[in-house]
Amino acid sequence: MNIQMVDLHSQYLDIKHEIDTALQEVLNTTAFIRGPEVSAFEAELSHYLDGSSVLGVANGTDALQIALMALHIGPGDEVISPSFTFVATAEAVGLLGATPVFADVLPDTFNMDPAQLEALITPRTKAIVPVHLFGQCANMTEIKAIADKHGLPIVEDTAQAIGSTWQGQAAGTIGDIGTLSFFPSKNLGCYGDGGAIVSRRPELFEQCRLISNHGSRKKYHNEVVGVNSRLDSMQAAILRVKLSHLDSYTEARVLAANRYDALFSDSSDLVTPFRDPRGSHVFHQYTLRVKGNDPEKRDALQAYLATKGIPSFVYYPVPLHLLPIYKDNPDSCICGPLSNTLCAANEVLSLPIHTHLTQSEQEFIAGHCNAFFSSL
Ligand SMILES: Cc1ncc(COP(=O)(O)O)c(C=O)c1O
């Protein structure tokens, strides 16, 4: 059995004809940068995201940076995000000279704890960046209520959650700006780097567009200091094909998650992913908790699985506030109490999940997980 964390090759083979034809078309037209494929993809993704405006950019990290630039985040400002996330969430904050403020996550969803968010707001706070981690929305009702109360904009880091919803609304379209990543392993992944900015606020959206293209609307008439961050036409062509399959890809992921849940239903050592009934989970990751707040136990399970040829990953072993970039520079960030974050980093283990995972592969994986605990 050749089990992979993510099987991009089988997925490609299923849509090979569509992808190859789309790429050949770009080669024929040679419209490589901001060509018709990019505009068509932006329009199709806008339709998918209930009419929000969509701007293709070079990657999800740039999307966050451009969003914060459009909000004029700079030195002296504070931006609140979770510590339990990928480093990109907070990277742009520091790059722009502002200070990341790290909030704790809730133990069930691994998403930002709204109660702590409010306690961290100061006169310097200029934005809130919730992350929809592993494919499930943060509690946007409470986060938005707090943001509105304090007059703060929300940038939703939706890199891992395209297609998920919160109370019927698409992830990324609830706050002021949403950011997406099309990194190959993402639920909607291209074959290189790619990202997008989503917004329902025309003035902010136009500002993002301006910044993403060297700060210029008219060539050689640069109005603000911007960046060069554009989605290229090859990636847009691939994304158009894959967007048309995204709902079936999501269904396959949810089916796989349901199977895992059933296979682990008798385990007293593992906690399967919580699904908030107010939203929908698109299972970018299927992340278990190994009970006990003991990283050695979790690592032992991971090592055991590896001996059986089963890959697994710890997203994330080191919360952002403990990374050397922040820990070794005490003035570089501000932290709330982060006990749930620390416990999550000690307990989480993500199992293979992708659109082509089979029932027998999952039985094999779960069988070995359960066998590991029986042998203790
Ligand atoms: C939560 C989160 N934010 C931002 C990013 C950055 O996206 P990209 O890799 O496209 O720059 C990622 C990608 O891994 C992510 O998982």
Side-chain angles (χ1 to χ4, degrees):
M1 218 174 262
N2 174 23
I3 300 176
Q4 298 176 59
M5 262 326 262
V6 180
D7 183 356
L8 294 178
H9 192 245
S10 300
Q11 195 188 58
Y12 165 63
L13 291 181
D14 274 358
I15 52 172
K16 183 177 183 322
H17 179 68
E18 289 173 82
I19 294 279
D20 293 359
T21 308
L23 288 178
Q24 191 57 55
E25 186 56 29
V26 177
L27 292 172
N28 291 343
T29 59
T30 68
F32 294 126
I33 301 282
R34 291 222 64 83
E37 289 294 330
V38 176
S39 327
F41 171 64
E42 288 172 343
E44 286 158 11
L45 186 56
S46 165
H47 180 71
Y48 188 83
L49 295 175
D50 310 329
S52 294
S53 300
V54 173
L55 172 73
V57 296
N59 54 65
T61 308
D62 279 7
L64 285 159
Q65 179 175 335
I66 293 164
L68 296 181
M69 287 171 80
L71 293 168
H72 303 290
I73 304 296
D77 296 340
E78 293 173 3
V79 175
I80 306 176
S81 77
S83 174
F84 191 63
T85 176
F86 181 60
V87 68
T89 306
E91 227 163 22
V93 178
L95 275 176
L96 297 176
T99 305
V101 178
F102 294 123
D104 210 357
V105 291
L106 293 165
D108 51 5
T109 60
F110 303 113
N111 282 324
M112 186 187 263
D113 177 355
Q116 205 188 84
L117 161 67
E118 180 143 42
L120 290 170
I121 292 174
T122 72
R124 289 170 179 259
T125 308
K126 289 289 150 32
I128 301 167
V129 185
V131 181
H132 304 315
L133 203 71
F134 302 149
Q136 177 163 238
C137 283
N139 183 336
M140 290 305 292
T141 311
E142 287 185 30
I143 292 172
K144 198 161 173 348
I146 294 164
D148 289 348
K149 183 172 149 195
H150 294 270
L152 292 170
I154 299 175
V155 176
E156 294 174 70
D157 183 342
T158 316
Q160 302 188 4
I162 189 166
S164 70
T165 56
W166 178 259
Q167 298 198 311
Q169 237 181 307
T173 71
I174 305 162
D176 297 85
I177 303 178
T179 61
L180 296 170
S181 165
F182 305 127
F183 186 79
S185 61
K186 292 289 192 276
N187 288 29
L188 177 64
C190 56
Y191 294 169
D193 273 313
I197 287 171
V198 175
S199 184
R200 290 184 187 282
R201 289 188 49 190
E203 74 293 355
L204 269 182
F205 183 76
E206 281 315 314
Q207 192 65 15
C208 289
R209 187 200 291 284
L210 185 67
I211 292 166
S212 74
N213 193 22
H214 295 293
S216 82
R217 261 174 270 255
K218 191 173 163 201
K219 214 168 184 180
Y220 307 126
H221 289 76
N222 309 69
E223 299 166 41
V224 297
V225 175
V227 295
N228 173 12
S229 185
R230 299 174 294 221
L231 183 67
D232 73 66
S233 303
M234 292 280 197
Q235 303 307 338
I238 291 161
L239 287 165
R240 288 186 71 195
V241 172
K242 291 187 72 175
L243 180 59
S244 71
H245 297 281
L246 182 58
D247 285 340
S248 71
Y249 291 165
T250 302
E251 275 170 34
R253 285 174 177 275
V254 173
L255 177 69
N258 293 345
R259 283 197 213 118
Y260 272 138
D261 280 359
L263 290 162
F264 292 123
S265 61
D266 291 336
S267 174
S268 52
D269 301 286
L270 296 170
V271 183
T272 54
F274 172 76
R275 304 182 196 201
D276 195 319
R278 293 166 290 185
S280 65
H281 200 320
V282 294
F283 288 97
H284 175 57
Q285 299 297 343
Y286 185 87
T287 304
L288 295 168
R289 269 179 182 279
V290 179
K291 285 186 198 168
N293 199 4
D294 177 2
E296 282 178 23
K297 189 167 160 198
R298 183 266 318 279
D299 294 350
L301 170 62
Q302 185 176 33
Y304 173 82
L305 294 177
T307 65
K308 307 294 173 196
I310 300 169
S312 60
F313 236 90
V314 178
Y315 302 109
Y316 297 93
V318 187
L320 301 193
H321 70 287
L322 294 182
L323 291 173
I325 45 173
Y326 299 113
K327 195 167 152 253
D328 298 348
N329 302 292
D331 295 336
S332 64
C333 70
I334 296 167
C335 296
L338 294 164
S339 55
N340 292 336
T341 296
L342 295 173
C343 183
N346 287 342
E347 292 192 338
V348 287
L349 188 67
S350 297
L351 295 181
I353 190 154
H354 54 79
T355 53
H356 287 67
L357 194 64
T358 64
Q359 168 121 20
S360 57
E361 286 176 323
Q362 292 190 267
E363 284 167 0
F364 182 79
I365 295 166
H368 281 297
C369 288
N370 292 330
F372 169 81
F373 292 107
S374 311
S375 72
L376 290 182

